[in-house]
Amino acid sequence: MASVTSLSDSVQQHLASALSAALPEAAGADPLLRRSDRADYQANGILALAKKAKANPRELATQVVAGIVTGEVIADVEVSGPGFLNITVADKAITENLAARYADDTGRLGVPYAAHPGTTVIDYAQPNVAKEMHVGHLRSAVIGDAMVRLLEFTGENVVRRHHIGDWGTQFGMLIQYLDEHPHELDHKESEVSGEEAMSNLDRLYKTARRLFDSDEEFKTRARRRVVDLQAGDPKTLAIWQKFVDESKIYFFSVFDKLDMEVRDPDIVGESGYNDMLAETCRLLEESGVAVRSEGALCVFFDDIKGPEGNPVPLIVQKSDGGYGYAATDLSAIRDRVFNLKATTLLYVVDARQALHFRMVFETARRAGWLNDDVTAVQLAFGTVLGKDGKPFKTREGETVKLENLLDEAVERATAVVREKAEKVGLTEDEIVENGRYVGVGAVKYADLSTSAVRDYKFDLDQMVSLNGDTSVYLQYAYARIQSILRKAGEARPVAHPELALAPAERALGLHLDQFAETVLEVAAAREPHKMAAYLYQLASLLTTFYDQCPVLKADSPAQVENRLFLVDLTARTLHEGMALLGIRTPGKL
């Protein structure tokens, strides 16, 4: 089915036609239409057009109103103030538009695809091999997953990349220890859980570190092993691969708890670009983008200086010949642009790395790898804070493990679900499953309902609350609708455009109509918190609707059907909108 023209677009077309008739030189001008609390919509564009044409804005507004055809789409227009237009949409138009969305058999609710889709490589959820994931990994994973879903829904070709930390000097230490103690990781993957796998690696790492710090001979062997690793020694690589695989068992278990799909082919860590590093440095040096400074290969920037006013360079290659993060990140850009044919590179990375990425992107632009056809953007995010407003830590001052945090969220949520379980007839299996969906959804929504760049406080009590701006509130709104639909008996959702709408029905209907433009705007602006805001407002309008408009006890069979249609479309919109944020909507809660 083709996409559905929104009411705002229909109103805009009527306005534009009347505007060009009243002021021919204004053909194609934007009437600046927006939702209003004074009417359904308000158009503010006439003031600027009148100023440009040296006309009286109120007189021009009156002329425009005279040329607007009312009836099918626009019920009434009035001039307000110095030349604003207050526009009321016909009830029939609202219902017919929603009926078209409801009839969309593609499941897209009439949402069109983006006008000019491209290929976005999105770099997110970047854990480190041999290290447990902590709360600091949460935001990249959750925001990145939501952006993947949103962009794919709009028709973008999305390539996922998990740039895991799987290279560096600590791996020489680990490999040497494992080589000397070959049975430390002796088990089959099928026999061990992700947590056990990482516990083994964590124990291995700590033991190797103690030996490294206390035994000079082991330290020498470990450093030699780093050289072997970088040179591609087969035996060294085989051991390295073993604990990369161990770490992946763990990563997949954590991502599974987050209800996120992470596919093995999408994991391309730092090691994946090793073969490109020397060439990246050669290209930068030969083009003059990078220069040698005290033996290191550096890129300098006039506008980037340190605390003492000295230039801060991007070090691509160290004076000892080793490669830093910059070399890997620049090689990744080359791969993503020239091999993956990306038009957009999106990095969901902590805001504290903003300077690094600013320098990397500028270097890539100077080298010609980024240009007008390829853009690179850091979707920077803030810090997860505790209730005290400080970075979230355990009571012992340690970083909170992501698994522990998710387990506690699910435990709290399951208790909330269990309180109402008997009333709605949930089995024990349903309580456990819904507890997981509510708990994980609560964590995700708390993150996604905050503008990414802002810090936010992690407060589980608030997150699993049935009141306020929480995912639980939205999930209960969805479940409540499903309960009504189950109790409807013979009555079915059917649109009745001939019926007049109550104020709460109109408000709900007009907001439902905004779903399509919200999805496209959120995806284009990379602002998933605005989708969360849209859904929260939708659930709030639904609550008002319930208070004012009986559904199954409406005045007539036609009104029952029409209200069932309205709530069912609301449920479908909540379901789709939450899915785009990676959050489930259980049918019974």
Side-chain angles (χ1 to χ4, degrees):
M1 177 178 172
S3 59
V4 179
T5 301
S6 69
L7 284 170
S8 59
D9 283 346
S10 297
V11 171
Q12 185 119 342
Q13 289 165 14
H14 279 69
L15 276 180
S17 177
L19 189 55
S20 60
L23 192 68
E25 61 266 36
D30 185 355
L32 299 180
L33 190 71
R34 60 177 178 82
R35 288 298 309 280
S36 170
D37 54 4
R38 297 175 181 271
D40 295 334
Y41 295 98
Q42 188 174 80
N44 301 338
I46 288 175
L47 275 72
L49 290 170
K51 185 177 181 181
K52 192 174 180 181
K54 295 184 170 54
N56 181 299
R58 192 171 175 90
E59 288 178 8
L60 178 58
T62 304
Q63 279 181 268
V64 172
V65 169
I68 292 175
V69 178
T70 57
E72 288 295 309
V73 176
I74 296 176
D76 185 49
V77 190
E78 64 174 27
V79 179
S80 171
F84 302 128
L85 297 184
N86 288 338
I87 301 150
T88 302
V89 178
D91 287 357
K92 182 183 178 187
I94 295 174
T95 305
E96 285 179 340
N97 180 276
L98 297 182
R101 297 189 182 284
Y102 191 74
D104 183 355
D105 55 8
T106 66
R108 294 182 59 81
L109 301 173
V111 179
Y113 289 100
H116 304 289
T119 295
T120 294
V121 176
I122 178 165
D123 189 325
Y124 69 110
Q126 311 104 343
N128 295 305
V129 165
K131 293 182 182 177
E132 291 181 297
M133 292 176 69
H134 54 78
V135 69
H137 292 110
L138 179 66
R139 301 208 72 185
S140 179
V142 169
I143 296 169
D145 183 54
M147 285 309 308
V148 167
R149 293 166 183 268
L150 283 158
L151 289 168
E152 286 184 337
F153 191 74
T154 65
E156 185 79 357
N157 175 38
V158 177
V159 180
R160 312 169 192 207
R161 279 292 176 267
H162 306 294
H163 191 84
I164 65 171
D166 64 352
W167 209 246
T169 53
Q170 76 267 33
F171 291 99
M173 176 187 78
L174 278 165
I175 292 167
Q176 187 61 33
Y177 183 83
L178 191 59
D179 190 29
E180 296 175 9
H181 303 80
H183 301 298
E184 290 280 355
L185 295 180
D186 250 1
H187 56 254
K188 294 178 182 176
E189 290 184 13
S190 59
E191 295 174 352
V192 68
S193 70
E195 289 180 61
E196 288 172 312
M198 188 48 66
S199 176
N200 288 338
L201 271 181
D202 191 56
R203 173 182 49 76
L204 181 74
Y205 181 87
K206 288 174 181 174
T207 306
R209 168 57 70 180
R210 283 195 296 270
L211 191 59
F212 185 86
D213 291 340
S214 62
D215 187 330
E216 285 299 320
E217 289 185 1
F218 175 75
K219 182 181 289 188
T220 300
R221 295 195 299 274
R223 285 176 171 165
R224 193 179 303 131
R225 191 50 78 100
V226 176
V227 177
D228 293 341
L229 177 63
Q230 292 174 339
D233 172 61
K235 183 182 178 182
T236 301
L237 281 175
I239 301 172
W240 168 81
Q241 189 65 55
K242 191 168 185 178
F243 58 71
V244 168
D245 292 340
E246 291 285 343
S247 296
K248 283 185 180 180
I249 297 171
Y250 165 75
F251 297 158
F252 289 132
S253 74
V254 177
F255 289 129
D256 184 60
K257 282 191 175 185
L258 262 175
D259 200 14
M260 260 179 63
E261 180 191 36
V262 171
R263 304 174 303 209
D264 194 59
D266 302 331
I267 299 175
V268 183
E270 294 164 356
S271 63
Y273 305 101
N274 285 339
D275 294 344
M276 300 177 68
L277 300 180
E279 186 182 24
T280 294
C281 291
R282 179 180 62 79
L283 290 170
L284 291 172
E285 191 168 10
E286 287 179 357
S287 63
V289 173
V291 295
R292 292 285 169 183
S293 175
E294 298 179 18
L297 186 63
C298 304
V299 182
F300 289 92
F301 309 89
D302 293 337
D303 58 340
I304 300 176
K305 293 183 170 57
E308 297 177 4
N310 299 319
V312 176
L314 181 70
I315 300 174
V316 185
Q317 187 178 26
K318 302 170 189 174
S319 57
D320 63 3
Y323 301 104
Y325 291 124
T328 305
D329 287 334
L330 287 163
S331 297
I333 287 176
R334 288 177 54 217
D335 176 61
R336 294 166 184 184
V337 172
F338 299 112
N339 295 331
L340 300 178
K341 308 300 182 187
T343 50
T344 303
L345 306 178
L346 183 60
Y347 293 78
V348 186
V349 183
D350 193 313
R352 289 171 291 190
Q353 295 189 43
L355 178 60
H356 169 76
F357 278 100
R358 181 180 158 198
M359 293 194 289
V360 166
F361 294 162
E362 176 58 27
T363 299
R365 272 190 287 271
R366 291 181 187 180
W369 305 333
L370 296 176
N371 52 43
D372 292 342
D373 298 322
V374 187
T375 56
V377 182
Q378 182 192 0
L379 203 174
F381 55 82
T383 304
V384 181
L385 307 175
K387 290 183 184 180
D388 58 1
K390 297 176 182 177
F392 197 24
K393 303 278 187 183
T394 64
R395 288 180 181 174
E396 293 75 33
E398 296 177 1
T399 305
V400 178
K401 293 179 184 178
L402 186 50
E403 278 191 302
N404 294 350
L405 180 147
L406 294 173
D407 287 344
E408 186 178 353
V410 169
E411 188 180 318
R412 298 271 194 98
T414 303
V416 172
V417 172
R418 194 177 293 281
E419 283 178 22
K420 294 180 175 285
E422 189 175 339
K423 184 179 178 182
V424 295
L426 291 178
T427 66
E428 181 61 29
D429 285 348
E430 287 172 328
I431 292 170
V432 171
E433 183 179 73
N434 289 356
R436 181 190 173 210
Y437 293 156
V438 171
V440 173
V443 171
K444 288 184 176 182
Y445 187 84
D447 192 316
L448 293 168
S449 59
T450 305
S451 174
V453 76
R454 290 178 54 197
D455 300 340
Y456 79 94
K457 290 183 181 180
F458 195 93
D459 183 346
L460 269 179
D461 292 329
Q462 173 58 30
M463 288 179 188
V464 298
S465 170
L466 300 178
N467 303 309
D469 189 4
T470 67
S471 68
V472 192
Y473 176 65
L474 303 183
Q475 287 167 323
Y476 267 99
Y478 177 83
R480 189 175 182 184
I481 294 172
Q482 298 310 312
S483 176
I484 289 173
L485 293 172
R486 286 192 294 271
K487 293 174 183 175
E490 297 294 314
R492 291 288 175 266
V494 180
H496 285 274
E498 74 279 5
L499 292 179
L501 298 175
E505 291 175 299
R506 299 183 94 262
L508 184 62
L510 287 166
H511 193 66
L512 284 168
D513 175 64
Q514 289 183 281
F515 180 64
E517 62 189 85
T518 300
V519 169
L520 295 179
E521 286 173 6
V522 165
R526 309 176 189 99
E527 295 178 324
H529 69 281
K530 291 186 177 178
M531 176 55 68
Y534 170 87
L535 294 170
Y536 174 62
Q537 190 178 353
L538 180 62
S540 300
L541 289 167
L542 181 70
T543 300
T544 304
F545 167 85
Y546 281 141
D547 292 342
Q548 299 179 9
C549 304
V551 178
L552 300 181
K553 295 182 179 179
D555 293 339
S556 68
Q559 195 173 55
V560 169
E561 290 180 343
N562 201 56
R563 287 180 177 173
L564 282 172
F565 150 71
L566 269 176
V567 296
D568 194 17
L569 181 57
T570 301
R572 294 184 188 189
T573 305
L574 280 169
H575 173 79
E576 189 58 57
M578 295 283 270
L580 290 174
L581 298 179
I583 300 172
R584 307 259 188 167
T585 43
K588 289 166 72 175
L589 273 178

